[in-house]
Amino acid sequence: MSVQTPILTSVSAIPIRPTRELPFRIIPRIETYPKVVSFCQTIAGQALMLSVFGAMYALFNPDTLPLVCCLALLTWMPGRRNQLLCVSTLFFALLVPWHLLPQPLYHAELVLACLAFGWTLIWCRAKWPESWYGQNAAEILIAGFGIWVAAISLLPWHFFRKVTLWDLSIVFGSYVWYVAYILMDRVREPMKEFGLETGSLRPFWGSLYTPFPSGTAYLRQIEAKGAEHLAITQLKGLKLLTWSVLILEFARVFAWVFHSELGVPTFTTALLQSARRAPLPWFVCWASLIAYFLEKLMTGAILSHRIIACCRMAGFDALRNMYRPLSSVTIAEFFNRYYYYYKELLVTFFFLPAFLKQDSHRPKVRLALAIFVAACLGNSFFHFTRELLFIHDVGMWTALCSFQAFFFYTVVLAIALIVSRLRKRNPLPSGFFRGTLFPAVSVCFFYCLLSIFAVTDYRFPLIEDLRFLGHLFFIS
């Protein structure tokens, strides 16, 4: 697989650093074997792939039958892919979680209301593409959602205290970035591909607040064309799910060795002890932090590989979300490799608008401000507005105070990305240790320390995180 485009290269290109090929492969490149590809174009081969995929996916979720059925329909009826994608997405949004919800009918009403509102926005942009709204639809949606969150949190009106209104806001908050991607797609009229557009609103293969992959325009580009392309794409999806299973098993062994056998406490425990003014020894804190950083990487890889594997099985040859982040030799490269689709979201909705609206006579200032808007302001906005339930429970000001450590993280990250992108960098030495290992370890060391603050679970104020950081370096 090729290395994905480094961060912000849409404006200022970074030469793609060639990735060293491994001398062996744990999972062979079965998608390059002609006989395997030919077999997987047959009914028997497709049935075997779907069966193996379902068996492996059951390790994450035992209730895999609905997913496998949807993937089977998309596999055997490729000419109806858009319509089936729409039906499958609505099926998973409304019916699959029916038995798990305390009020399934109420939940279905909320989802349908949010979809109707989203489609109203999309229809208005398609109806009046040259109007002020049509030219700025995505920006208006994002800004309007932020204003709405502030209004329902701060204004004392009884209307804003209604539970249904908050429930609608929380549900729509999980759709807002998917709708924004459709509003950004000005190449085609969205109303002409209703199935694809609706199917991309939190698609059935797994959805987070960050769209995987990034919007309908990208789905059109990566859709499998022909039986051979579909077979290759599904084989790559099967391989990626295998990677997810292997990483899951390794993560379990890792946790058992470090936490059960060696007795290394979790990072939360170490930070709690520090907040209680009874810090653990410095080397124990380092061990807990390093284990926490590596476990975050593995958790992210397991989840994102599983989602992209399902996307590929559905016939869309999406890039990985995470691709060898520990081999990154710059801060910007790690940010791109670690969470690719979230980086794309920040670039699309924050970096590019800020970059294009500035004066081009001072390119470095222009680039620095655009990076700061994306990595700091956009990053903070995204994470804060997705915590509507927490904001409802504690109030706007308390929620803002609880996010102080994360806001500090975004400022430091933005500054680091600006320095990484703007500083003059000498060519890396050709040797492995000086050219690859030392830079990669340095980048991972920086992100490991930064992970102390990259939390949104409202644990401790910023001063406690800084105290923990100081304890690592013998500073009381």
Side-chain angles (χ1 to χ4, degrees), residues 109-130:
E109 292 173 351
L110 292 176
V111 171
L112 291 174
C114 291
L115 289 175
F117 179 66
W119 264 106
T120 301
L121 297 176
I122 296 167
W123 180 85
C124 290
R125 191 199 69 77
K127 182 70 174 177
W128 300 288
E130 301 302 325

Side-chain angles (χ1 to χ4, degrees), residues 195-427:
L196 181 63
E197 307 293 348
T198 304
S200 67
L201 296 173
R202 299 192 68 189
F204 77 95
W205 51 67
S207 58
L208 306 172
Y209 281 82
T210 305
F212 279 31
S214 50
T216 52
Y218 183 51
L219 284 177
R220 294 191 197 100
Q221 296 175 13
I222 62 177
E223 183 179 0
K225 305 296 192 298
E228 183 179 1
H229 190 190
L230 176 61
I232 293 173
T233 299
Q234 290 184 321
L235 286 170
K236 290 166 68 176
L238 197 61
K239 284 176 51 182
L240 197 56
L241 185 64
T242 305
W243 269 117
S244 186
V245 171
L246 292 177
I247 296 172
L248 174 65
E249 296 305 319
F250 180 80
R252 289 173 176 170
V253 174
F254 182 90
W256 174 74
V257 170
F258 275 82
H259 299 307
S260 298
E261 295 298 311
L262 299 180
V264 176
T266 63
F267 173 68
T268 302
T269 301
L271 188 57
L272 178 62
Q273 289 297 107
S274 176
R276 290 175 175 174
R277 304 298 185 270
L280 300 173
W282 63 271
F283 55 88
V284 176
C285 291
W286 271 113
S288 66
L289 177 60
I290 294 171
Y292 168 71
F293 174 68
L294 295 176
E295 286 169 345
K296 278 186 65 177
L297 288 176
M298 288 186 284
T299 301
I302 292 166
L303 177 60
S304 62
H305 284 4
R306 189 170 80 236
I307 293 174
I308 297 300
C310 293
C311 178
R312 290 178 175 179
M313 288 297 294
F316 298 93
D317 191 9
L319 291 172
R320 294 186 187 184
N321 180 62
M322 182 183 293
Y323 180 68
R324 297 177 63 178
L326 296 179
S327 65
S328 306
V329 298
T330 66
I331 291 173
E333 184 182 1
F334 184 98
F335 192 69
N336 181 70
R337 288 173 175 267
Y338 172 63
Y339 203 160
Y340 174 72
Y341 289 111
Y342 180 59
K343 183 271 299 182
E344 287 291 291
L345 184 148
L346 293 180
V347 169
T348 302
F349 297 112
F350 296 99
F351 175 84
L352 285 177
F355 186 87
L356 296 175
K357 292 178 181 178
Q358 294 182 64
D359 187 2
S360 60
H361 295 297
R362 294 188 294 177
K364 290 187 177 181
V365 175
R366 185 188 191 191
L367 181 61
L369 287 175
I371 293 176
F372 189 84
V373 168
C376 180
L377 302 181
N379 200 359
S380 300
F381 178 86
F382 176 90
H383 284 88
F384 186 73
T385 54
R386 76 177 186 178
E387 301 296 338
L388 277 177
L389 182 60
F390 177 68
I391 297 172
H392 171 265
D393 293 339
V394 303
M396 173 66 78
W397 302 120
T398 303
L400 284 171
C401 291
S402 300
F403 265 74
Q404 56 185 282
F406 187 81
F407 294 151
F408 175 80
Y409 155 77
T410 61
V411 172
V412 175
L413 175 63
I415 294 173
L417 289 172
I418 291 170
V419 173
S420 177
R421 290 291 288 109
L422 294 184
R423 74 183 181 93
K424 294 182 179 179
R425 184 178 293 106
N426 296 325

Side-chain angles (χ1 to χ4, degrees), residues 437-455:
L437 182 61
F438 180 74
V441 171
S442 301
V443 169
C444 292
F445 178 75
F446 168 79
Y447 276 99
C448 182
L449 292 178
L450 200 58
S451 65
I452 297 173
F453 309 94
V455 292

Side-chain angles (χ1 to χ4, degrees), residues 63-71 73-74 83-101 104 107-108 111-112 115 175 198-199 201-205:
D63 189 15
T64 61
L65 183 60
L67 176 67
V68 174
C69 290
C70 291
L71 293 176
L73 290 174
L74 286 159
Q83 294 85 345
L84 291 172
L85 176 60
C86 173
V87 172
S88 299
T89 295
L90 292 176
F91 177 67
F92 268 75
L94 301 175
L95 299 180
V96 170
W98 191 271
H99 65 287
L100 301 175
L101 299 170
H107 172 77
V111 171
L112 291 174
L115 289 175
Y175 283 93
T198 304
L201 296 173
R202 299 192 68 189
F204 77 95
W205 51 67

